[in-house]
Amino acid sequence: MSDLDRNLAKLDGYLARFRDSGILNQIGGKALPAASGARFETRSPVDESLICTVARGGAEDIDAAARAAKAAFPAWRDMPATERRTILHAIADGITARAEEIALCECWDTGQALRFMSKAALRGAENFRFFADRAPAARDGQSLPSPTLMNLTTRVPIGPVGVITPWNTPFMLSTWKIAPALAAGCTVVHKPAEFSPLTARILMEIAEEAGLPPGVWNLVNGMGEDAGRALTEHPAIRAIAFVGESKTGSMIMKQGADTLKRVHFELGGKNPVVVFDDADLDRALDAAIFMIFSLNGERCTSSSRLLVQDTIADDFEARLIRRINTLRVGHPLDPATEIGPLIHKTHFDKVTSYFDIARQDGATIAAGGARQGKTGWFVKPTLFTGATQDMRIAQEEIFGPVLTALRFKTEDEALEIANGTQYGLTGYVWTNDLSRALRFTHQMEAGMIWVNSENVRHLPTPFGGVKASGIGRDGGDWSFDFYMEQKHIGLALGHHPIPRLGA
Ligand code: NAD
């Protein structure tokens, strides 16, 4: 039996329970169908086969979930943080125990390759442990004495929050948003992406089995335009943590305006990897390939624009083409696979439409540029060369295994191209000139920059983007800043003079 067959057999076992009942919502500790009885289907991008049906929640279900989150909030807020810490560690234990199930389901639901997803569950567990350990200190504040007052600050959880997540790495991103919310003392209504509902349900079950009280974490599946929208408009929901496209973020900001929602947005990117001719070119090549072709290129932090200095461009591009043509596109459950199918036909159509756009704009398709196979949403890893800054392939987020290469002569030109999009999530700079690295990163418009490295996430550091790539930061204490309110308390030290009006 091959590894692939073994994984398929295991997956079949894990999915069996979803086939009869489908995926249900979870509201106030109860597994429920949608109030309307509506369902939608989730299908695998590998072969379009039906995985199961999913409760299609709407405004009524969101209202029930928001009320449950509101009712559960005071007790969860007031629970000693050390007890919350214990529950969050128990959730991490549960994730680790079900890591294989999570990985296989995630791959089948999203098309992501197992070689990357096998670690996603463990990263998710790590997110819970990281914020669990910080929970006891989350409320700590400062003492800021003045001559007349002892001024104290403290932080309190903001209240029930809405979490809306995308389909690209749904499990990891859900843990990334929900773990700090719970650690801070907030209750949650989670609306996962409609294209990838499987692991959100598993995660929710793990949480309640680990001892999370009913109503602290509610799950409502459904479409963005109804369930998602209703969540952003609900008056009991104090804040929305959103990960997804920039244009959806803009819609959410409008939808949340009437109820004055606090928002945290992690949005799109068109991230540059800038390779100067003095760099370690072997490592730069490895990193550039990894950062655009891992996770099917469906990765917000992907290096989707290669900016290469003209003195080395011919050679660098030639080496790149050879490597791209040997990338292994295949079944996501095959451990050898490096690139799986794209999530859905809609997204496949979007990604492949850029092949014609590239041709029309005058770029060259130097590798790939076509579908792979006849079944499933597989795309050949693609490289566009000869691109210029004004082309759509150099400006728009394609979100697939597609790299646009641009050339530059000088450092100033590189900077102008790097900063010349609406986005500003990540940047990658390859140079061995220390002063140039400092100069360049200082002027780069991006929330996160790595020098001589691929994206290596370190949980205490701030994660987020500038410009159309986001508002706010995750990680370390920044997550608590979003999920908590600062409070100031001033205590008089004595009898300072109080203005006596009307005396
Ligand atoms: P999307 O914006 O289409 O959907 C994301 C979520 O928003 C889904 O759950 C969807 O149902 C919901 N939604 C859609 N319309 C809504 C509305 N009007 N109101 C409320 N909710 C609504 O994004 P996607 O296609 O699922 O994900 C891909 C995008 O996510 C890419 O742009 C990618 O760069 C971005 N992303 C960003 C980060 C980051 O950290 N910056 C991480 C991962 C993905």
Side-chain angles (χ1 to χ4, degrees), residues 164-168 173 191-194 223-224 228-229 232 242-245 248 251-252 255 266-269 300 397 399 425 463:
I164 302 179
T165 45
W167 45 257
N168 59 325
L173 286 170
K191 208 300 280 173
E194 50 271 42
M223 303 299 134
R229 184 183 182 108
T232 60
F242 169 74
V243 186
E245 286 189 30
T248 315
M251 283 195 283
I252 289 176
Q255 293 162 196
E266 288 179 5
L267 309 174
C300 56
E397 185 185 47
F399 217 57
L425 189 58
F463 186 104

Side-chain angles (χ1 to χ4, degrees), residues 179-373:
L182 296 177
C186 295
T187 53
V188 172
V189 178
H190 180 205
K191 208 300 280 173
E194 50 271 42
F195 287 165
S196 58
L198 275 185
T199 53
R201 175 76 216 173
I202 297 171
L203 181 58
M204 153 96 254
E205 290 172 0
I206 290 172
E208 290 202 349
E209 280 161 20
L212 198 73
V216 170
W217 177 344
N218 306 276
L219 171 73
V220 179
N221 287 283
M223 303 299 134
E225 58 273 21
D226 45 51
R229 184 183 182 108
L231 183 56
T232 60
E233 291 175 345
H234 200 286
I237 298 295
R238 302 298 315 135
I240 294 287
F242 169 74
V243 186
E245 286 189 30
S246 301
K247 66 174 189 297
T248 315
S250 158
M251 283 195 283
I252 289 176
M253 196 173 243
K254 292 186 194 111
Q255 293 162 196
D258 282 348
T259 49
L260 294 172
K261 289 279 182 298
R262 178 184 289 186
V263 293
H264 183 174
F265 288 161
E266 288 179 5
L267 309 174
K270 188 73 179 177
N271 311 299
V273 49
V274 185
V275 183
F276 288 97
D277 59 8
D278 66 352
D280 181 332
L281 297 180
D282 293 336
R283 286 176 64 77
L285 185 70
D286 286 344
I289 292 171
F290 175 74
M291 280 313 303
I292 180 64
F293 296 112
S294 58
L295 303 178
N296 302 342
E298 297 165 320
R299 177 176 195 160
C300 56
T301 55
S302 73
S303 57
S304 51
R305 288 185 296 153
L306 168 69
L307 277 55
V308 61
Q309 198 153 20
D310 59 353
T311 41
I312 52 161
D314 285 342
D315 186 49
F316 198 81
E317 285 176 7
R319 292 174 68 194
L320 188 58
I321 292 166
R322 281 198 293 279
R323 286 277 291 278
I324 291 175
N325 287 331
T326 57
L327 285 168
R328 290 184 289 267
V329 181
H331 197 295
L333 294 183
D334 182 343
T337 292
E338 291 171 320
I339 300 181
L342 298 178
I343 180 85
H344 192 273
K345 180 178 188 308
T346 320
H347 188 56
F348 170 89
D349 287 344
K350 174 189 158 181
V351 171
T352 53
S353 74
Y354 281 94
F355 302 156
D356 277 342
I357 293 170
R359 281 188 205 99
Q360 282 156 15
D361 284 355
T364 303
I365 299 183
R371 181 177 190 172
Q372 175 143 326

